[in-house]
Amino acid sequence: MGSLKEDTKTTGWAARDPSGLLSPYTYTLRNTGAEDVLIKVICCGICHTDIHQIKNDLGMSNYPMVPGHEVVGEIMEVGPEVSKFKVGDCVGVGCLVGCCGSCHPCKAEVEQYCNKKIWSYNDVYTDGRPTQGGFADSMVVHQKFVVKIPEGMSPEQVAPLLCAGVTVYSPLNHFGLKESGLRGGILGLGGVGHMGVLIAKAMGHHVTVISSSDKKKEEALDVLGADDYLVSSDVERMQELADSFDYIIDTVPVHHPLEPSLTLLKLDGKLILMGVINVPLQFVSPLLMIGRKTITGTFIGSMKETQEMLEFCKEKGVRSTIEVVKMDYINTAMERLAKNDVRYRFVVDVIGSNLENE
């Protein structure tokens, strides 16, 4: 099918100002271009980033803003040059919808590091229109930024994989940490942390959840299947486990000391930062030097890694822990997420919601 003859209107739930309150908003989608697909949204996960954006926590928000970047839907129309998808395919869209295509990261197929990347929402597309996200009836997306959902995976289960899932899969893939038998730590057990446990366990790793208290111990061990649970203030156990981890994925999004994690790493161990923290972090250099340790960070994942990760999760039967809600609950869900009152990811049933009414 070719481009739509007329502009298509769609309804999403948008924030109008930094209060972050979402309500119905009707806007016009761009025409389906030669390599675009028109997607009817089935569901969309809620990420902590959505809260930061709707409330202008980063000082870069533009309104009205329809958030949502863990999108699963069905293709309703394809542009004439679309080769990867057909009408009726179940597909996913993550954090990005565009890149320059010519820089070093783009040519290396790690377009998430392109300096001209275009976000799924709160950004401006190449045609000058604002991008809007997945808390909406439909989206138009270039085929490069769409992934095929493997057959048999439920849309609600897939949604959190498109951001939280690939965020933990990417560093394990890039740093060669996929082999069975490695010992890994997951610091922080929120949306990204819980995916870290599931994916690392599926790779055959011995996984320890590291936390500041023991309140999530039962859940980590009995529900998520972690092998061990370490309270970071337990001096005796911290000493016992020193120099024993191949890597630690640090998902904590607020200021915290790095030194306790560095002492846990063995020779050549990696501390991989995932949390967005806007204040300086500190450590003493001998902790790195004496064990040739690395502090690094990665950012979401590439489209190639996203597709690989979905196939991996399908093969290994990885299932995220979710709470499905309707769109009219989304403001409450945002409030609860801000308090970490969710296990472990909200997913909005978009197709089953009445988007027109508050």
Side-chain angles (χ1 to χ4, degrees):
M1 295 173 73
S3 296
L4 294 168
K5 300 299 184 289
E6 298 174 7
D7 285 347
T8 299
K9 290 197 176 297
T10 194
T11 300
W13 277 48
R16 287 1 191 253
D17 56 54
S19 72
L21 197 68
L22 300 173
S23 59
Y25 168 62
T26 299
Y27 55 100
T28 303
L29 294 172
R30 73 171 188 269
N31 287 342
T32 308
E35 289 196 67
D36 290 337
V37 296
L38 172 64
I39 299 168
K40 182 168 183 60
V41 178
I42 296 171
C43 62
C44 184
I46 306 179
C47 176
H48 240 112
T49 305
D50 297 325
I51 298 175
H52 294 314
Q53 294 284 12
I54 62 176
K55 290 186 174 292
N56 196 28
D57 289 343
L58 305 176
M60 298 182 293
S61 297
N62 298 293
Y63 303 97
M65 180 201 304
V66 178
H69 62 219
E70 297 180 342
V71 191
V72 180
E74 180 183 348
I75 292 184
M76 306 304 288
E77 181 185 23
V78 297
E81 294 176 26
V82 171
S83 57
K84 296 166 66 177
F85 305 100
K86 63 184 187 303
V87 171
D89 283 350
C90 186
V91 296
V93 178
C95 299
L96 303 180
V97 293
C99 64
C100 78
S102 58
C103 66
H104 172 64
C106 285
K107 288 180 176 176
E109 295 187 299
V110 284
E111 60 286 322
Q112 73 271 32
Y113 299 111
C114 172
N115 289 330
K116 295 180 180 176
K117 58 183 168 286
I118 301 173
W119 301 99
S120 301
Y121 67 88
N122 193 35
D123 208 342
V124 179
Y125 202 65
T126 52
D127 62 359
R129 296 193 195 207
T131 58
Q132 302 288 11
F135 297 146
D137 179 68
S138 47
M139 296 175 75
V140 174
V141 184
H142 190 284
Q143 67 171 346
K144 177 177 174 56
F145 293 93
V146 178
V147 289
K148 183 85 181 287
I149 306 303
E151 202 170 326
M153 294 186 84
S154 72
E156 295 81 8
Q157 281 290 328
V158 168
L161 299 176
L162 297 169
C163 174
V166 74
T167 293
V168 293
Y169 180 88
S170 179
L172 296 174
N173 178 58
H174 174 73
F175 292 117
L177 297 169
K178 288 165 71 177
E179 66 190 79
S180 180
L182 296 179
R183 297 181 75 87
I186 305 294
L187 180 58
L189 199 59
V192 174
H194 111 277
M195 288 306 320
V197 175
L198 296 175
I199 288 175
K201 282 297 296 178
M203 289 177 176
H205 297 179
H206 181 283
V207 179
T208 299
V209 170
I210 306 165
S211 188
S212 57
S213 76
D214 62 3
K215 67 180 182 181
K216 294 182 180 178
K217 181 174 182 177
E218 192 176 328
E219 196 140 16
L221 299 175
D222 300 341
V223 179
L224 298 178
D227 298 287
D228 199 359
Y229 191 93
L230 175 61
V231 178
S232 53
S233 59
D234 185 337
V235 177
E236 192 175 321
R237 285 222 70 211
M238 288 291 288
Q239 289 175 346
E240 179 190 321
L241 292 174
D243 301 319
S244 68
F245 289 81
D246 293 288
Y247 67 87
I248 293 173
I249 291 178
D250 181 344
T251 72
V252 177
V254 295
H255 184 274
H256 60 287
L258 300 183
E259 279 144 345
S261 295
L262 292 171
T263 62
L264 294 172
L265 293 173
K266 62 170 67 165
L267 177 66
D268 290 326
K270 290 179 172 54
L271 175 59
I272 304 163
L273 303 180
M274 306 264 99
V276 177
I277 304 167
N278 291 323
V279 292
L281 299 174
Q282 290 182 315
F283 61 93
V284 293
S285 60
L287 276 178
L288 293 186
M289 298 158 62
I290 291 169
R292 202 164 60 190
K293 300 171 185 180
T294 304
I295 298 174
T296 187
T298 58
F299 176 64
I300 50 176
S302 67
M303 298 312 299
K304 184 179 178 184
E305 285 175 321
T306 304
Q307 191 68 63
E308 277 178 19
M309 176 272 307
L310 290 174
E311 300 291 347
F312 172 83
C313 290
K314 165 76 189 296
E315 178 194 341
K316 300 292 185 179
V318 173
R319 291 178 60 83
S320 47
T321 303
I322 59 173
E323 182 176 335
V324 179
V325 299
K326 301 292 188 190
M327 191 68 83
D328 60 9
Y329 188 80
I330 195 163
N331 290 306
T332 305
M334 291 286 189
E335 288 173 12
R336 285 180 53 196
L337 178 58
K339 301 173 191 169
N340 291 318
D341 177 24
V342 59
R343 296 290 177 269
Y344 280 96
R345 206 67 155 182
F346 282 116
V347 177
V348 180
D349 173 15
V350 177
I351 202 167
S353 299
N354 183 348
L355 301 186
E356 307 288 342
N357 298 323
E358 294 186 61

